[in-house]
Amino acid sequence: MAVQIDLADELLTARIIGDIDHHSAKEMRETIDDAVLKGQVRELEIDFRDVTFMDSSGIGLVMGRYKLMQELGGTLHLVNVASHLKKVMVLAGLDRLAVLDRTERRPVPDKSAKAGGMEDESN
């Protein structure tokens, strides 16, 4: 699947993987919209960390999710946006629709921590 969904409370994170083009955008839109509506979320975060290419379909993807979140009284955040994608998004005016270029809201678990939650301090 080109989208990984993570739901925590009223925050849904949709992590997009690979290309966003006219071939993949429809499935991405449907996956995200379905999860938003089922999860009754107030905040949608679209994570672009693993996006390798985006054409105008990506702009449409973001605009449609903005409209959906507005209809639901929620907000949209675009996170981990690479500089080449950010340029396209700003030119399209997406920075006026969503919070752009921030890191994800949930902290990433520290993989160096041991199973019991204790960190290795033997450096």
Side-chain angles (χ1 to χ4, degrees), residues 30-46:
E30 291 170 353
T31 300
I32 294 168
D33 290 357
D34 186 51
V36 165
L37 295 171
K38 284 183 180 176
Q40 300 178 346
V41 300
R42 291 284 170 220
E43 226 175 332
L44 171 60
E45 181 176 85
I46 302 177

Side-chain angles (χ1 to χ4, degrees), residues 32-94:
I32 294 168
D33 290 357
D34 186 51
V36 165
L37 295 171
K38 284 183 180 176
Q40 300 178 346
V41 300
R42 291 284 170 220
E43 226 175 332
L44 171 60
E45 181 176 85
I46 302 177
D47 188 338
F48 286 83
R49 139 188 10 213
D50 296 316
V51 173
T52 52
F53 170 82
M54 182 179 83
D55 65 12
S56 61
S57 300
I59 303 300
L61 177 100
V62 172
M63 292 177 76
R65 303 319 47 84
Y66 169 77
K67 183 178 177 184
L68 174 64
M69 293 309 295
Q70 288 295 297
E71 290 171 359
L72 298 174
T75 58
L76 174 65
H77 302 276
L78 309 178
V79 300
N80 299 313
V81 180
S83 61
H84 66 284
L85 297 177
K86 183 178 180 183
K87 288 177 188 176
V88 173
M89 290 181 180
V90 169
L91 285 172
L94 296 183

Side-chain angles (χ1 to χ4, degrees), residues 94-109:
L94 296 183
D95 57 324
R96 293 184 299 246
L97 303 180
V99 176
L100 179 61
D101 196 27
R102 58 179 243 188
T103 56
E104 65 269 46
R105 293 181 46 117
R106 267 181 250 90
V108 176

Side-chain angles (χ1 to χ4, degrees), residues 1-3 16 19-34 55-58 60-62 65:
M1 181 189 306
V3 179
I16 300 177
D19 295 349
I20 306 173
D21 58 24
H22 69 281
H23 296 292
S24 61
K26 181 180 181 209
E27 180 183 346
M28 290 177 185
R29 285 191 307 267
E30 291 170 353
T31 300
I32 294 168
D33 290 357
D34 186 51
D55 65 12
S56 61
S57 300
L61 177 100
V62 172
R65 303 319 47 84

